[in-house]
Every structure is written in structure tokens, then in C-alpha cells.
């Protein structure tokens, strides 16, 4: 059974950068689509971005992060990354990675993914 572990969160000043990692164990990302989501207290989980399958290598990003966040994959390390640049206070959240096989209409929704990590906290504050 594939398991995911996020790391790389922390405290960063506005305008700074962080790189989150999503490491897979018990299997490989293989044909999975890997998504990143975030959640703040009292709010629903929000789509951040996704990398759709190794064959298609298609990227999706939320409008709020487009141009600032970048997803990449290192197959040798079985890890997917979320590079976050020009962070602002609204990016403060618990960030999750997830794996699944969503169809195009569900790739931006939680329902498209069945395997989730435990999350890593990102706090943007001066």
C-alpha cells in the first residue's frame, strides 16, 4: 500500500520560499496523479496543484499560486516536490500531498485522490 509523507514545512517571512517534499513508500508514484492541497482551520481543503501521471506529465495549478508554485518529480527518489516562491500570509496552511487516479473533472477535488499524507505546516509571518 502506497504511503505518503510530507516534509519541508516551517516558518518563513513574506516573500520567502519553501520547498515541500512528498515521499512515497510501499510503492511508487507510477501511474498515479499527485496532488497538493492545503487547509486552514475552519475551512475546506483547497486544491493547490497537481502533476498528472508520468505518461502525460501535465501540470495543474490553482489560480492563487500560478506563477509562484511549481511541482516537480524525482522518480529516482520517489518524491514529488512543491516549490513555493513569493510566499504571502494567505499561503499559511497545513499542506497535504495526495495520490490517486482522478479524471480530469476531479483532478482539483479531494474526491479524486484516495491516498493522503499527514500534512506539513507552512506559516508565513513576519
Amino acid at each position: 500500500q502506497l504511503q505518503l509523507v510530507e516534509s519541508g514545512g516551517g516558518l518563513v517571512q513574506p516573500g520567502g520560499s519553501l520547498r515541500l517534499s512528498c515521499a512515497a513508500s510501499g510503492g511508487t508514484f507510477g501511474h498515479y496523479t499527485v496532488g497538493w492541497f492545503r487547509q486552514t482551520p475552519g475551512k475546506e481543503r483547497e486544491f493547490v496543484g497537481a502533476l498528472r501521471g508520468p505518461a502525460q506529465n501535465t501540470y495543474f495549478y490553482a489560480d492563487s499560486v500560478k506563477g509562484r508554485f511549481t511541482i516537480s518529480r524525482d522518480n529516482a527518489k520517489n518524491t514529488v516536490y512543491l516549490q513555493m516562491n513569493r510566499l504571502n500570509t494567505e499561503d499559511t496552511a497545513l499542506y497535504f500531498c495526495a495520490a490517486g487516479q482522478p479524471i480530469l473533472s476531479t483532478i482539483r477535488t479531494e474526491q479524486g485522490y484516495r491516498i493522503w499524507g499527514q500534512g506539513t505546516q507552512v506559516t508565513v509571518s513576519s
Side-chain angles (χ1 to χ4, degrees):
Q1 174 73 15
L2 190 70
Q3 294 182 320
L4 306 178
V5 176
E6 304 94 335
S7 61
L11 174 64
V12 63
Q13 292 187 340
S17 298
L18 278 176
R19 188 179 76 162
L20 305 184
S21 299
C22 175
S25 62
T28 66
F29 285 117
H31 56 281
Y32 286 106
T33 290
V34 180
W36 286 96
F37 291 77
R38 64 188 183 186
Q39 189 171 26
T40 54
K43 293 189 177 181
E44 293 185 355
R45 209 166 287 186
E46 175 192 22
F47 173 78
V48 174
L51 170 56
R52 191 178 189 195
Q56 301 182 45
N57 243 19
T58 307
Y59 298 83
F60 299 81
Y61 294 99
D63 288 343
S64 59
V65 306
K66 199 173 294 183
R68 299 189 298 123
F69 291 12
T70 304
I71 296 173
S72 62
R73 181 203 301 260
D74 186 333
N75 290 327
K77 295 184 178 180
N78 212 16
T79 300
V80 172
Y81 301 99
L82 179 66
Q83 177 67 44
M84 306 186 295
N85 298 328
R86 304 201 313 273
L87 286 160
N88 58 60
T89 56
E90 294 182 347
D91 296 317
T92 295
L94 185 63
Y95 283 72
F96 299 88
C97 67
Q101 295 174 291
I103 58 176
L104 197 55
S105 61
T106 61
I107 202 165
R108 297 173 184 264
T109 72
E110 294 182 64
Q111 289 72 27
Y113 303 84
R114 63 178 181 88
I115 303 169
W116 291 81
Q118 84 289 347
T120 185
Q121 178 68 36
V122 172
T123 302
V124 185
S125 175
S126 55

